[in-house]
Amino acid sequence: MWNTARRFTPNSSGLEHLLRVPSMPRCSGWGSLRVLQKLGKADETRDVAFEEMVSKFNKQMVEGTKLQKDLKAYQAAVKTMHEASRRLQDCLADMYEPDWFGKEEMDTLAEDTDTLWLDYHQNITDKSLLSVDTYLNQFPDIKARIAKRDRKMVDFDSARHHFGSLQKGKKKDEAKIAKAEEELGRAQRIFEELNVELQDELPVLWDSRVGVYVNAFQSLAGHQEKFHREMGKLSQNLNDIMTKLEEQKELNEEANHSDSASSAPKSAVTNGSDGDLPPGFIYKVKAIHEYAATDGDELELKMGDIVLAVAFDNPDEQDDGWLMGFLESSWLQNKDLSTKGVFPENFTQKI
């Protein structure tokens, strides 16, 4: 008369068994039916395999919700660190005086640091958290359908119980029996439809968790690696700027405490009577920045180099902001007039 619901195993199924149900008063409502089922006086549909799937579903939902919560907490921590980093960079920018070494580089570094934090925060949101949110959006609907399936299972059991009771009654009312049989068929069809759908969907959902976890953490790990690599470069740049600022400070202190005679004006040229000084010597300078020569007539400067500035052979050849000179170490060693070259004046400081 009825096929048992596909993929579930009721304790009793089919009209043949229902005819063996002992005669008893019809229960009113789910509560009464549940009491009778607990007492063993009414059949109860049980599906152990489905119950296991529901148990996995509940476990999966709890784990996914915890992952979502912890990812949001991590995202909030990144935002807090970003804000703290920005305040620290702003503090440094406010204190950094315009004539200090690397002022422009410092401003650029602050902008790059802020951009790096923004990108990191956005990538966590778009690539890790969003995928977990999408994954969890499936659960409310499936949870509601599981609850509906359970209610329809009770309806099915109630219809079976009612039909069996009418069949075993002393006075058979064929009209009531026919109506009960119709209700039983309808309850069974509704229950089976929900039951089959969920038995198809729940295993697929259970298996999908692996891909979601891999995507979330693989994406997070990739963006973490990139963020810390790029932040490491910016940190090294900041360290280099601070090191050179310290060197600039030391050079300034040496210049302020120097007992050297005041430098002669640019037009005043000595006759080179001092054997240790080249012809046309004007004054000494010290390199406060490194300078890479870009032409054959230029001097290569390293931080701390001492240069003996001399007058140009032809003053008309001198460009503003450039000096002519010898590296002191090279001159004292070789006294070679061909080793002189030009260099930028603002990369040096008179001593």
XYZ file of all heavy atoms in Angstrom, residues 36-132:
788
model
N 3.064 8.076 24.112
C 2.770 6.705 23.715
C 4.000 6.034 23.106
O 4.260 4.846 23.355
C 1.611 6.691 22.704
C 0.234 7.100 23.256
C -0.779 7.165 22.127
C -0.236 6.130 24.337
N 4.785 6.805 22.325
C 5.992 6.236 21.738
C 7.004 5.882 22.814
O 7.662 4.838 22.747
C 6.598 7.229 20.732
C 5.783 7.353 19.448
C 6.294 8.451 18.532
O 6.957 9.373 18.994
N 5.965 8.360 17.244
N 7.121 6.727 23.826
C 8.052 6.445 24.920
C 7.621 5.203 25.692
O 8.452 4.453 26.213
C 8.151 7.652 25.869
C 8.744 8.906 25.243
C 10.174 8.685 24.801
C 10.760 9.983 24.235
N 12.123 9.764 23.703
N 6.313 5.003 25.782
C 5.785 3.840 26.499
C 5.792 2.589 25.634
O 5.412 1.510 26.108
C 4.353 4.131 26.981
C 4.214 5.238 28.039
C 2.751 5.504 28.321
C 4.941 4.845 29.322
N 6.204 2.745 24.376
C 6.225 1.609 23.483
C 4.868 1.218 22.952
O 4.682 0.102 22.440
N 3.880 2.111 23.072
C 2.522 1.815 22.628
C 2.191 2.458 21.283
O 1.055 2.436 20.843
C 1.520 2.280 23.686
C 1.652 1.520 24.997
C 0.632 1.981 26.015
C 0.759 1.189 27.325
N -0.250 1.613 28.324
N 3.181 3.085 20.668
C 2.992 3.666 19.341
C 4.306 3.573 18.589
O 5.381 3.690 19.181
C 2.538 5.116 19.440
N 4.222 3.317 17.287
C 5.432 3.191 16.464
C 6.120 4.547 16.307
O 5.460 5.579 16.225
C 5.076 2.646 15.084
C 4.593 1.198 15.158
O 5.079 0.485 16.051
O 3.742 0.816 14.343
N 7.452 4.495 16.265
C 8.252 5.716 16.087
C 9.270 5.477 14.985
O 10.032 4.511 15.040
C 8.982 6.082 17.386
C 9.843 7.329 17.257
C 10.575 7.648 18.551
O 10.475 6.853 19.514
O 11.243 8.690 18.591
N 9.251 6.365 13.969
C 10.208 6.247 12.872
C 11.590 6.650 13.365
O 11.758 7.715 13.942
C 9.795 7.150 11.699
O 8.500 6.759 11.259
C 10.798 7.040 10.551
N 12.571 5.778 13.160
C 13.948 6.071 13.563
C 14.866 5.859 12.368
O 14.685 4.928 11.591
C 14.401 5.152 14.699
C 13.687 5.361 16.019
C 13.991 6.727 16.590
N 15.408 6.955 16.767
C 16.120 6.513 17.813
N 15.538 5.806 18.774
N 17.409 6.769 17.903
N 15.811 6.743 12.207
C 16.795 6.634 11.128
C 18.146 6.969 11.735
O 18.522 8.132 11.853
C 16.443 7.593 9.991
C 17.342 7.399 8.768
O 18.401 6.752 8.908
O 16.986 7.896 7.691
N 18.874 5.937 12.131
C 20.146 6.130 12.833
C 21.161 6.852 11.945
O 21.893 7.734 12.406
C 20.717 4.775 13.302
C 22.101 4.963 13.930
C 19.769 4.124 14.297
N 21.185 6.484 10.665
C 22.139 7.116 9.756
C 21.854 8.611 9.620
O 22.773 9.442 9.605
C 22.078 6.452 8.381
N 20.569 8.986 9.562
C 20.216 10.397 9.446
C 20.569 11.140 10.740
O 21.056 12.273 10.704
C 18.723 10.549 9.149
C 18.313 11.969 8.875
C 18.455 12.516 7.611
C 17.799 12.774 9.891
C 18.099 13.831 7.355
C 17.438 14.086 9.645
C 17.592 14.608 8.371
N 20.307 10.506 11.866
C 20.644 11.140 13.148
C 22.143 11.412 13.240
O 22.572 12.434 13.789
C 20.182 10.255 14.295
C 18.666 10.181 14.428
C 18.221 9.150 15.451
O 19.093 8.500 16.060
O 16.997 8.989 15.633
N 22.951 10.513 12.683
C 24.403 10.721 12.678
C 24.763 11.908 11.789
O 25.639 12.714 12.129
C 25.103 9.459 12.177
C 26.622 9.575 12.208
C 27.307 8.309 11.723
O 26.626 7.295 11.526
O 28.539 8.349 11.536
N 24.060 12.027 10.642
C 24.308 13.175 9.761
C 23.942 14.486 10.446
O 24.643 15.486 10.313
C 23.511 13.013 8.460
C 24.118 12.022 7.482
S 23.300 12.069 5.854
C 21.796 11.176 6.211
N 22.847 14.483 11.197
C 22.438 15.688 11.916
C 23.453 16.028 12.999
O 23.778 17.206 13.222
C 21.030 15.508 12.519
C 20.687 16.684 13.436
C 19.990 15.389 11.419
N 23.982 14.995 13.660
C 25.008 15.222 14.679
C 26.249 15.865 14.059
O 26.835 16.806 14.618
C 25.384 13.892 15.341
O 26.418 14.075 16.279
N 26.637 15.389 12.873
C 27.783 15.988 12.174
C 27.465 17.421 11.757
O 28.330 18.306 11.822
C 28.125 15.151 10.941
C 28.779 13.811 11.252
C 29.101 13.063 9.954
C 29.833 11.767 10.233
N 30.137 11.029 8.985
N 26.229 17.637 11.300
C 25.810 18.983 10.896
C 25.939 19.955 12.068
O 26.468 21.064 11.910
C 24.357 18.940 10.403
C 23.739 20.300 10.190
C 23.958 21.008 9.027
C 22.929 20.873 11.169
C 23.391 22.259 8.832
C 22.358 22.120 10.983
C 22.595 22.810 9.812
N 25.466 19.546 13.236
C 25.538 20.415 14.420
C 26.990 20.693 14.802
O 27.352 21.827 15.147
C 24.794 19.773 15.586
C 23.292 19.749 15.362
O 22.736 20.612 14.681
N 22.614 18.757 15.918
N 27.826 19.675 14.743
C 29.259 19.836 15.037
C 29.892 20.796 14.031
O 30.669 21.692 14.393
C 29.942 18.476 14.978
C 31.464 18.511 15.189
C 32.003 17.081 15.184
C 33.517 17.061 15.454
N 34.290 17.623 14.353
N 29.547 20.610 12.755
C 30.083 21.454 11.688
C 29.670 22.906 11.871
O 30.473 23.830 11.672
C 29.569 20.918 10.348
C 30.144 21.568 9.117
C 29.608 20.935 7.844
O 28.764 20.038 7.881
N 30.091 21.388 6.708
N 28.432 23.131 12.269
C 27.929 24.491 12.468
C 28.640 25.158 13.642
O 29.008 26.337 13.571
C 26.417 24.459 12.699
C 25.781 25.838 12.816
S 23.972 25.789 12.688
C 23.557 24.671 14.022
N 28.866 24.424 14.715
C 29.567 24.970 15.892
C 31.003 25.340 15.520
O 31.494 26.425 15.864
C 29.549 23.952 17.056
C 30.497 24.399 18.166
C 28.142 23.795 17.601
N 31.685 24.443 14.808
C 33.076 24.707 14.420
C 33.170 25.900 13.472
O 34.051 26.751 13.606
C 33.665 23.467 13.757
C 33.902 22.315 14.724
C 34.431 21.080 14.020
O 34.402 21.032 12.765
O 34.872 20.149 14.721
N 32.257 25.956 12.488
C 32.276 27.068 11.535
C 31.994 28.399 12.209
O 32.614 29.416 11.881
N 31.060 28.407 13.159
C 30.727 29.636 13.885
C 31.918 30.117 14.711
O 32.206 31.315 14.782
C 29.510 29.401 14.791
O 28.402 28.967 13.990
C 29.133 30.665 15.534
N 32.637 29.162 15.326
C 33.818 29.525 16.111
C 34.911 30.089 15.200
O 35.579 31.075 15.542
C 34.360 28.311 16.859
C 35.528 28.647 17.797
C 35.989 27.431 18.559
C 37.055 27.823 19.589
N 38.220 28.493 18.979
N 35.104 29.464 14.035
C 36.093 29.966 13.082
C 35.749 31.391 12.654
O 36.619 32.268 12.595
C 36.148 29.048 11.851
C 37.019 29.530 10.687
C 38.463 29.721 11.126
C 36.944 28.535 9.526
N 34.479 31.628 12.359
C 34.042 32.968 11.956
C 34.308 33.980 13.080
O 34.817 35.081 12.833
C 32.556 32.938 11.618
C 31.994 34.267 11.138
C 30.488 34.213 11.002
O 29.775 33.814 11.931
N 29.981 34.612 9.848
N 33.992 33.609 14.301
C 34.188 34.496 15.448
C 35.667 34.826 15.641
O 36.043 35.990 15.855
C 33.622 33.836 16.707
C 33.817 34.644 17.967
C 33.268 33.900 19.186
C 33.514 34.679 20.475
N 33.016 33.935 21.663
N 36.524 33.801 15.547
C 37.952 34.025 15.766
C 38.586 34.816 14.625
O 39.506 35.619 14.843
C 38.668 32.685 15.948
C 38.304 32.005 17.267
O 37.785 32.710 18.156
O 38.531 30.794 17.403
N 38.115 34.595 13.403
C 38.621 35.384 12.272
C 38.245 36.855 12.425
O 39.052 37.749 12.137
C 38.059 34.844 10.953
C 38.894 33.810 10.197
C 38.148 33.328 8.963
C 40.261 34.367 9.804
N 37.016 37.110 12.887
C 36.594 38.491 13.106
C 37.421 39.137 14.218
O 37.759 40.323 14.135
C 35.106 38.533 13.450
C 34.196 38.284 12.254
C 32.725 38.396 12.640
C 31.830 38.228 11.425
N 30.391 38.316 11.772
N 37.746 38.364 15.251
C 38.581 38.895 16.334
C 39.979 39.221 15.813
O 40.575 40.249 16.167
C 38.669 37.879 17.479
N 40.512 38.358 14.939
C 41.830 38.602 14.344
C 41.786 39.840 13.450
O 42.697 40.679 13.484
C 42.250 37.382 13.531
C 43.623 37.488 12.918
C 44.766 37.188 13.653
C 43.786 37.898 11.596
C 46.027 37.304 13.091
C 45.040 38.009 11.025
C 46.157 37.702 11.782
O 47.399 37.814 11.225
N 40.713 39.955 12.671
C 40.541 41.120 11.794
C 40.493 42.403 12.629
O 41.106 43.415 12.273
C 39.262 40.961 10.988
C 38.936 42.136 10.069
C 37.497 42.096 9.592
O 36.585 41.839 10.365
N 37.293 42.344 8.306
N 39.770 42.364 13.752
C 39.670 43.539 14.624
C 41.034 43.885 15.221
O 41.382 45.061 15.369
C 38.654 43.274 15.731
N 41.826 42.845 15.556
C 43.163 43.085 16.110
C 44.072 43.740 15.069
O 44.863 44.635 15.392
C 43.769 41.770 16.592
N 43.956 43.302 13.807
C 44.746 43.910 12.724
C 44.360 45.377 12.560
O 45.224 46.244 12.386
C 44.537 43.138 11.404
C 45.129 43.915 10.227
C 45.175 41.761 11.492
N 43.070 45.667 12.636
C 42.613 47.053 12.524
C 43.168 47.898 13.673
O 43.596 49.047 13.465
C 41.085 47.093 12.540
C 40.518 48.491 12.342
C 38.994 48.474 12.293
C 38.441 49.878 12.072
N 36.957 49.881 12.031
N 43.173 47.332 14.879
C 43.721 48.048 16.035
C 45.215 48.316 15.856
O 45.703 49.420 16.143
C 43.483 47.243 17.320
O 42.074 47.056 17.509
C 44.059 47.964 18.535
N 45.955 47.316 15.376
C 47.383 47.491 15.132
C 47.629 48.539 14.042
O 48.571 49.328 14.123
C 48.007 46.162 14.722
C 48.293 45.239 15.881
S 49.552 45.923 17.000
C 50.968 46.013 15.899
N 46.768 48.540 13.025
C 46.893 49.531 11.959
C 46.732 50.943 12.529
O 47.517 51.853 12.219
C 45.839 49.262 10.882
C 45.827 50.268 9.781
N 44.756 50.464 8.949
C 46.770 51.172 9.376
C 45.028 51.414 8.083
N 46.243 51.867 8.322
N 45.733 51.125 13.359
C 45.494 52.447 13.946
C 46.654 52.868 14.837
O 47.069 54.037 14.833
C 44.183 52.427 14.728
C 42.946 52.266 13.827
C 41.677 52.000 14.614
O 41.775 51.779 15.835
O 40.590 52.014 14.001
N 47.202 51.918 15.606
C 48.342 52.221 16.469
C 49.568 52.579 15.630
O 50.318 53.513 15.962
C 48.645 51.022 17.372
N 49.779 51.839 14.525
C 50.906 52.120 13.630
C 50.770 53.504 13.010
O 51.757 54.251 12.913
C 50.962 51.055 12.534
O 51.918 51.388 11.552
N 49.564 53.845 12.600
C 49.340 55.159 11.981
C 49.635 56.281 12.979
O 50.272 57.282 12.626
C 47.904 55.249 11.487
C 47.561 56.592 10.847
C 46.113 56.632 10.420
N 45.854 55.720 9.310
C 44.634 55.336 8.944
N 43.575 55.763 9.626
N 44.484 54.526 7.919
N 49.176 56.135 14.220
C 49.446 57.167 15.235
C 50.943 57.311 15.478
O 51.462 58.432 15.651
C 48.712 56.830 16.532
C 47.197 57.003 16.461
C 46.565 56.982 17.840
N 46.751 55.709 18.499
C 45.906 54.677 18.405
N 44.823 54.781 17.659
N 46.146 53.547 19.050
N 51.644 56.187 15.498
C 53.088 56.222 15.736
C 53.808 56.904 14.579
O 54.727 57.714 14.794
C 53.603 54.788 15.920
C 54.991 54.614 16.536
C 55.055 55.254 17.915
C 55.339 53.133 16.620
N 53.392 56.597 13.348
C 54.003 57.240 12.179
C 53.707 58.741 12.173
O 54.576 59.554 11.820
C 53.458 56.600 10.896
C 53.880 55.152 10.677
C 55.344 55.021 10.301
O 55.995 55.987 9.931
N 55.868 53.812 10.415
N 52.481 59.117 12.532
C 52.124 60.546 12.596
C 52.971 61.265 13.644
O 53.399 62.405 13.435
C 50.640 60.710 12.926
C 49.745 60.308 11.759
O 50.267 60.193 10.633
O 48.532 60.107 11.983
N 53.197 60.596 14.768
C 54.017 61.177 15.837
C 55.436 61.436 15.336
O 55.992 62.516 15.553
C 54.036 60.232 17.034
S 55.078 60.785 18.405
N 56.001 60.466 14.626
C 57.355 60.620 14.110
C 57.418 61.738 13.071
O 58.352 62.543 13.054
C 57.824 59.296 13.491
C 59.237 59.280 12.904
C 60.272 59.652 13.964
C 59.542 57.902 12.312
N 56.392 61.799 12.197
C 56.363 62.836 11.165
C 56.287 64.228 11.779
O 56.919 65.179 11.297
C 55.171 62.599 10.239
N 55.524 64.381 12.857
C 55.399 65.676 13.533
C 56.718 66.111 14.164
O 57.047 67.301 14.204
C 54.301 65.615 14.600
C 52.917 65.484 13.999
O 52.765 65.796 12.804
O 51.991 65.051 14.722
N 57.475 65.152 14.676
C 58.733 65.478 15.356
C 59.901 65.666 14.392
O 60.872 66.328 14.717
C 59.091 64.363 16.352
C 58.109 64.197 17.497
S 58.681 62.985 18.715
C 58.830 61.520 17.719
N 59.781 65.070 13.193
C 60.914 65.047 12.263
C 61.100 66.415 11.614
O 60.255 66.888 10.872
C 60.662 63.996 11.178
C 61.912 63.270 10.745
C 62.359 62.153 11.435
C 62.648 63.703 9.652
C 63.500 61.479 11.046
C 63.793 63.043 9.248
C 64.212 61.924 9.947
O 65.350 61.259 9.556
N 62.237 67.040 11.900
C 62.485 68.384 11.411
C 62.867 68.382 9.938
O 63.487 67.424 9.451
C 63.581 69.041 12.252
C 63.155 69.190 13.717
C 64.220 69.845 14.572
O 65.202 70.373 14.001
O 64.067 69.836 15.806
N 62.495 69.431 9.199
C 62.698 69.468 7.741
C 64.148 69.293 7.300
O 64.402 68.749 6.224
C 62.173 70.847 7.347
C 61.206 71.210 8.424
C 61.767 70.620 9.683
N 65.108 69.766 8.104
C 66.500 69.692 7.674
C 67.192 68.414 8.116
O 68.385 68.237 7.897
C 67.281 70.905 8.197
C 67.276 70.992 9.720
O 66.366 70.396 10.341
O 68.177 71.634 10.280
N 66.458 67.513 8.753
C 67.044 66.237 9.143
C 67.168 65.329 7.929
O 66.424 65.459 6.961
C 66.196 65.547 10.207
C 66.313 66.190 11.561
C 67.057 67.278 11.899
C 65.641 65.772 12.753
N 66.903 67.574 13.228
C 66.035 66.658 13.781
C 64.750 64.756 13.051
C 65.565 66.537 15.081
C 64.284 64.625 14.348
C 64.682 65.512 15.355
N 68.113 64.401 8.032
C 68.360 63.486 6.917
C 67.096 62.672 6.589
O 66.413 62.155 7.463
C 69.505 62.519 7.259
C 69.715 61.464 6.199
C 70.490 61.749 5.083
C 69.109 60.219 6.300
C 70.665 60.794 4.092
C 69.277 59.266 5.313
C 70.061 59.552 4.211
N 66.784 62.544 5.287
C 65.732 61.640 4.827
C 64.314 62.064 5.160
O 63.442 61.213 5.308
N 64.049 63.374 5.250
C 62.699 63.833 5.577
C 61.687 63.337 4.541
O 60.623 62.816 4.887
C 62.681 65.361 5.658
C 61.287 65.983 5.784
C 60.559 65.526 7.031
C 59.201 66.220 7.158
N 58.393 65.676 8.265
N 62.003 63.479 3.255
C 61.069 63.040 2.209
C 60.896 61.528 2.226
O 59.785 61.009 2.067
C 61.568 63.491 0.832
C 61.515 65.007 0.639
C 61.937 65.410 -0.770
O 62.220 64.496 -1.588
O 61.975 66.625 -1.045
N 62.014 60.808 2.415
C 61.945 59.351 2.483
C 61.078 58.905 3.666
O 60.328 57.919 3.573
C 63.347 58.754 2.614
C 64.203 58.883 1.371
C 64.965 60.196 1.324
O 64.577 61.136 2.043
O 65.947 60.282 0.564
N 61.162 59.639 4.768
C 60.367 59.307 5.949
C 58.877 59.478 5.667
O 58.050 58.640 6.055
C 60.783 60.200 7.121
C 60.058 59.898 8.430
S 60.434 58.261 9.058
C 62.155 58.480 9.494
N 58.508 60.538 4.986
C 57.105 60.766 4.646
C 56.574 59.667 3.723
O 55.455 59.171 3.896
C 56.937 62.134 3.977
C 57.205 63.280 4.939
O 57.157 63.050 6.159
O 57.474 64.407 4.464
N 57.379 59.288 2.741
C 56.978 58.222 1.816
C 56.830 56.893 2.544
O 55.897 56.126 2.296
C 58.023 58.071 0.690
O 58.127 59.299 -0.017
C 57.630 56.964 -0.268
N 57.753 56.633 3.457
C 57.713 55.391 4.218
C 56.432 55.302 5.046
O 55.813 54.230 5.152
C 58.950 55.310 5.119
C 59.202 54.000 5.862
C 60.703 53.756 5.995
C 58.573 53.993 7.249
N 56.015 56.415 5.643
C 54.782 56.431 6.438
C 53.568 56.120 5.560
O 52.671 55.356 5.961
C 54.612 57.798 7.106
N 53.540 56.679 4.351
C 52.431 56.405 3.429
C 52.410 54.933 3.013
O 51.348 54.298 2.967
C 52.550 57.294 2.193
C 52.340 58.780 2.476
C 52.561 59.642 1.240
O 52.806 59.044 0.159
O 52.479 60.870 1.347
N 53.584 54.390 2.710
C 53.670 52.989 2.292
C 53.254 52.044 3.414
O 52.603 51.018 3.173
C 55.099 52.659 1.843
C 55.474 53.366 0.553
O 54.562 53.861 -0.136
O 56.685 53.439 0.241
N 53.621 52.388 4.650
C 53.246 51.561 5.798
C 51.738 51.554 5.979
O 51.122 50.500 6.211
C 53.926 52.082 7.080
O 55.350 52.044 6.913
C 53.543 51.246 8.284
N 51.124 52.721 5.856
C 49.674 52.817 6.009
C 48.959 52.011 4.922
O 47.993 51.286 5.204
C 49.254 54.287 5.939
C 47.797 54.496 6.320
O 47.423 54.148 7.454
O 47.031 54.990 5.477
N 49.441 52.103 3.693
C 48.843 51.354 2.578
C 48.970 49.853 2.793
O 48.037 49.083 2.511
C 49.515 51.746 1.252
O 49.334 53.141 1.017
C 48.934 50.958 0.093
N 50.116 49.427 3.306
C 50.338 48.000 3.544
C 49.363 47.449 4.579
O 48.794 46.360 4.400
C 51.784 47.779 4.003
C 52.265 46.332 4.068
C 52.148 45.656 2.708
C 53.713 46.276 4.560
N 49.133 48.203 5.646
C 48.162 47.781 6.668
C 46.755 47.724 6.073
O 45.985 46.782 6.348
C 48.184 48.753 7.847
C 49.237 48.464 8.871
C 50.363 49.192 9.112
C 49.265 47.385 9.813
N 51.093 48.633 10.129
C 50.438 47.527 10.591
C 48.417 46.315 10.077
C 50.776 46.629 11.603
C 48.750 45.423 11.094
C 49.908 45.580 11.833
N 46.391 48.724 5.283
C 45.056 48.749 4.660
C 44.835 47.529 3.772
O 43.775 46.886 3.821
C 44.889 50.031 3.838
C 44.556 51.311 4.610
C 44.636 52.513 3.680
C 43.165 51.226 5.242
N 45.828 47.218 2.950
C 45.711 46.065 2.054
C 45.592 44.765 2.837
O 44.803 43.877 2.480
C 46.935 45.992 1.129
C 46.935 47.099 0.088
O 45.872 47.735 -0.099
O 47.999 47.338 -0.527
N 46.364 44.648 3.900
C 46.345 43.426 4.718
C 44.963 43.235 5.349
O 44.367 42.151 5.291
C 47.422 43.533 5.800
C 47.585 42.294 6.654
C 47.513 41.020 6.097
C 47.833 42.403 8.019
C 47.681 39.895 6.878
C 48.006 41.287 8.809
C 47.933 40.036 8.233
O 48.085 38.913 9.018
N 44.421 44.293 5.919
C 43.099 44.228 6.546
C 42.029 43.873 5.514
O 41.151 43.034 5.770
C 42.786 45.572 7.207
C 41.475 45.610 7.927
N 40.290 45.959 7.305
C 41.146 45.323 9.206
C 39.307 45.905 8.165
N 39.796 45.520 9.336
N 42.111 44.490 4.334
C 41.104 44.244 3.296
C 41.192 42.824 2.761
O 40.171 42.184 2.475
C 41.288 45.241 2.154
C 40.099 45.298 1.191
C 38.822 45.742 1.876
O 38.820 46.712 2.639
N 37.737 45.021 1.645
N 42.403 42.292 2.627
C 42.578 40.929 2.122
C 42.020 39.898 3.099
O 41.453 38.882 2.680
C 44.062 40.649 1.858
C 44.537 41.292 0.568
O 43.789 41.415 -0.384
N 45.786 41.719 0.544
N 42.176 40.132 4.398
C 41.585 39.227 5.388
C 40.072 39.218 5.232
O 39.422 38.164 5.278
C 41.983 39.656 6.821
C 43.482 39.473 7.033
C 41.203 38.851 7.860
C 43.973 40.044 8.342
N 39.500 40.398 5.024
C 38.046 40.514 4.871
C 37.559 39.827 3.599
O 36.618 39.027 3.633
C 37.634 41.997 4.837
O 38.083 42.638 6.048
C 36.129 42.143 4.727
N 38.216 40.119 2.475
C 37.733 39.651 1.181
C 38.044 38.186 0.914
O 37.233 37.480 0.305
C 38.340 40.495 0.058
C 37.850 41.931 0.091
O 36.839 42.192 0.763
O 38.487 42.796 -0.540
N 39.202 37.719 1.343
C 39.645 36.389 0.937
C 39.403 35.310 1.994
O 39.170 34.159 1.648
C 41.146 36.433 0.598
C 41.514 37.474 -0.444
C 40.834 37.183 -1.776
C 41.017 38.324 -2.768
N 42.386 38.691 -3.041
N 39.463 35.639 3.256
C 39.282 34.619 4.297
C 37.909 34.713 4.956
O 37.143 33.753 4.974
C 40.381 34.749 5.361
O 41.643 34.428 4.819
N 37.593 35.893 5.489
C 36.353 36.035 6.254
C 35.123 35.904 5.368
O 34.121 35.277 5.756
C 36.352 37.383 6.979
C 35.221 37.619 7.981
C 35.183 36.499 9.027
C 35.386 38.960 8.667
N 35.170 36.465 4.171
C 34.009 36.411 3.282
C 33.661 34.977 2.902
O 32.484 34.608 2.833
C 34.275 37.239 2.027
C 33.091 37.371 1.047
C 31.908 38.027 1.750
C 33.487 38.174 -0.177
N 34.681 34.145 2.659
C 34.412 32.752 2.286
C 33.768 31.994 3.442
O 32.884 31.157 3.228
C 35.715 32.065 1.863
O 36.604 31.925 2.954
N 34.184 32.297 4.677
C 33.578 31.639 5.840
C 32.150 32.134 6.045
O 31.250 31.349 6.376
C 34.437 31.883 7.106
C 33.747 31.342 8.346
C 35.806 31.239 6.949
